[in-house]
């Protein structure tokens, strides 16, 4: 089926407000071509452009991309360094496109631990695009859900110890407000590429009721058409939120 056919089938009134993606399979993509893993990461940038543009064109307000996990530091130093400089180059070369398309850049994760150059270009990108309103693109960078929940709990505990907050007043809203995604609606659709069927420490709290979509497509091959397919799949599902099917239909 062609691109435009799939796109036309999407109900624009029922778009997910937030799509979260685990961009996976770069290494295997490169290996299948007899190349080094970094070649796969470089070729993943095209897919980042496609999904960002695809979401912006449809009108999806929030898109989060898992770019580097706290666990990814355990990879060979050469690969980690290459990923960090690829991030710098990509952010710097894409800022203009983000500006032209009115897209705001944000980040979740422990930014303070990133190499200075990477952190600086990220902060510059965030600063330059902060007034943009069409869509928010969130990079999960040095992110993991357990890190996020831990730092959130620490901050809540500090408030309790200073008598600024009573334990009985800690509710779901308070917890959400102490996460890196503060103010961002929970993802309704989570897409993971490359056939891996796991969450890998990603948005554990926020994905509580997300629809999960897994595809065999390796990240560097991901195109708008694959995004449309995922959204159509999402729109075909019945989201019950604990109710019965009959309740949801009526
Ligand atoms: C995802 O691709 C990119 C990052 C985690 C940075 P991988 O590098 O995990 O690719 P595979 O899973 O080894 O194929
Ligand atoms: C998850 O991918 C992290 C990112 C996409 C940045 P990984 O490829 O690192 O995940 P695992 O470790 O195989 O689950
Ligand atoms: Mg992987």
């Amino acid at each position: 089926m062609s691109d435009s056919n799939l796109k036309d089938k999407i109900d624009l009134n029922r778009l997910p407000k937030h799509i979260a993606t685990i961009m996976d399979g770069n290494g295997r993509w490169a290996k299948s071509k007899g190349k080094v893993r970094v070649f796969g990461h470089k070729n993943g940038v095209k897919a980042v452009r496609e999904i960002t543009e695809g979401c912006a064109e449809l009108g999806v307000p929030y898109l989060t991309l898992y770019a580097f996990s706290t666990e990814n530091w355990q990879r060979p130093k050469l690969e980690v360094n290459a990923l960090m400089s690829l991030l710098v180059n990509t952010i710097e070369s894409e800022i203009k496109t983000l500006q032209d398309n009115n897209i705001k850049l944000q980040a979740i994760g422990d930014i303070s631990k990133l190499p200075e150059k990477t952190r600086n270009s990220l902060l510059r990108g965030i600063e330059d695009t902060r007034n943009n309103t069409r869509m928010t693109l969130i990079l999960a960078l040095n992110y993991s859900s357990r890190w996020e929940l831990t730092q959130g709990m620490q901050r809540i505990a500090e408030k309790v110890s200073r008598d600024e907050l009573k334990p009985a007043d800690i509710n779901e809203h308070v917890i959400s407000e102490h996460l890196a995604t503060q103010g961002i609606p929970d993802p309704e659709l989570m897409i993971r590429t490359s056939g891996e069927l796991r969450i890998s420490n990603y948005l554990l709290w926020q994905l509580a009721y997300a629809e999960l979509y897994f595809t065999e497509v390796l990240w560097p091959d991901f195109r708008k058409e694959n995004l449309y397919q995922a959204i159509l799949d999402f729109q075909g599902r019945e989201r019950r939120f604990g109710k019965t099917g009959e309740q949801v239909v009526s």
Side-chain angles (χ1 to χ4, degrees):
M1 202 180 287
S2 86
D3 223 61
S4 58
N5 278 344
L6 276 179
K7 192 179 180 186
D8 292 345
K9 289 206 166 86
I10 294 174
D11 179 351
L12 297 178
N13 296 312
R14 287 173 51 242
L15 286 172
K17 276 184 210 52
H18 183 178
I19 297 178
T21 306
I22 302 180
M23 314 187 279
D24 200 10
N26 295 353
R28 279 162 283 167
W29 185 88
K31 197 176 173 192
S32 75
K33 296 186 154 42
K35 304 276 190 202
V36 292
R37 296 179 53 83
V38 173
F39 183 72
H41 298 315
K42 287 190 178 146
N43 280 276
V45 176
K46 165 100 173 130
V48 170
R49 264 186 226 120
E50 288 265 326
I51 195 170
T52 306
E53 219 179 274
C55 283
E57 286 165 358
L58 286 169
V60 174
Y62 294 91
L63 170 67
T64 301
L65 304 176
Y66 206 177
F68 194 87
S69 74
T70 56
E71 286 80 19
N72 288 146
W73 294 110
Q74 299 171 71
R75 293 189 178 197
K77 203 166 168 12
L78 199 81
E79 180 171 346
V80 170
N81 291 345
L83 277 167
M84 289 300 148
S85 37
L86 182 64
L87 276 161
V88 175
N89 297 340
T90 308
I91 294 168
E92 289 182 353
S93 65
E94 299 299 315
I95 284 185
K96 192 179 174 318
T97 314
L98 294 180
Q99 291 291 43
D100 291 347
N101 289 288
N102 195 12
I103 296 170
K104 178 176 173 163
L105 184 67
Q106 280 193 18
I108 54 171
D110 191 357
I111 300 306
S112 69
K113 303 271 162 47
L114 293 174
E116 203 181 326
K117 261 187 114 172
T118 309
R119 189 175 61 244
N120 287 343
S121 64
L122 180 67
L123 292 175
R124 204 170 323 118
I126 292 171
E127 174 63 23
D128 288 358
T129 61
R130 78 194 149 101
N131 294 320
N132 293 347
T133 52
R134 184 180 178 199
M135 185 179 95
T136 302
L137 172 66
I138 303 141
L139 295 183
L141 252 177
N142 194 21
Y143 174 88
S144 80
S145 219
R146 288 186 173 182
W147 162 80
E148 177 186 47
L149 288 163
T150 306
Q151 64 81 34
M153 284 183 206
Q154 285 171 347
R155 288 195 291 129
I156 289 172
E158 279 161 14
K159 287 186 185 172
V160 170
S161 73
R162 289 196 301 260
D163 273 339
E164 289 166 24
L165 186 66
K166 291 192 192 67
D169 291 336
I170 299 171
N171 55 28
E172 291 190 10
H173 177 73
V174 169
I175 294 173
S176 291
E177 288 301 296
H178 288 81
L179 299 181
T181 49
Q182 181 208 356
I184 298 168
D186 288 341
E188 294 186 281
L189 171 62
M190 197 287 287
I191 302 172
R192 183 171 192 152
T193 57
S194 87
E196 303 298 351
L197 306 179
R198 55 179 177 264
I199 302 290
S200 302
N201 216 348
Y202 191 43
L203 302 169
L204 300 180
W205 171 275
Q206 298 88 337
L207 292 177
Y209 255 114
E211 295 297 328
L212 308 181
Y213 179 86
F214 297 98
T215 170
E216 293 289 329
V217 173
L218 301 174
W219 181 253
D221 289 330
F222 196 89
R223 294 292 174 268
K224 283 181 191 174
E225 189 182 336
N226 304 107
L227 169 71
Y228 302 152
Q229 223 132 27
I231 294 175
L232 284 170
D233 194 279
F234 167 84
Q235 293 189 334
R237 298 188 192 184
E238 184 175 71
R239 305 189 74 203
R240 290 193 283 274
F241 299 101
K243 296 180 183 171
T244 66
E246 290 76 10
Q247 284 177 304
V248 171
V249 171
S250 70

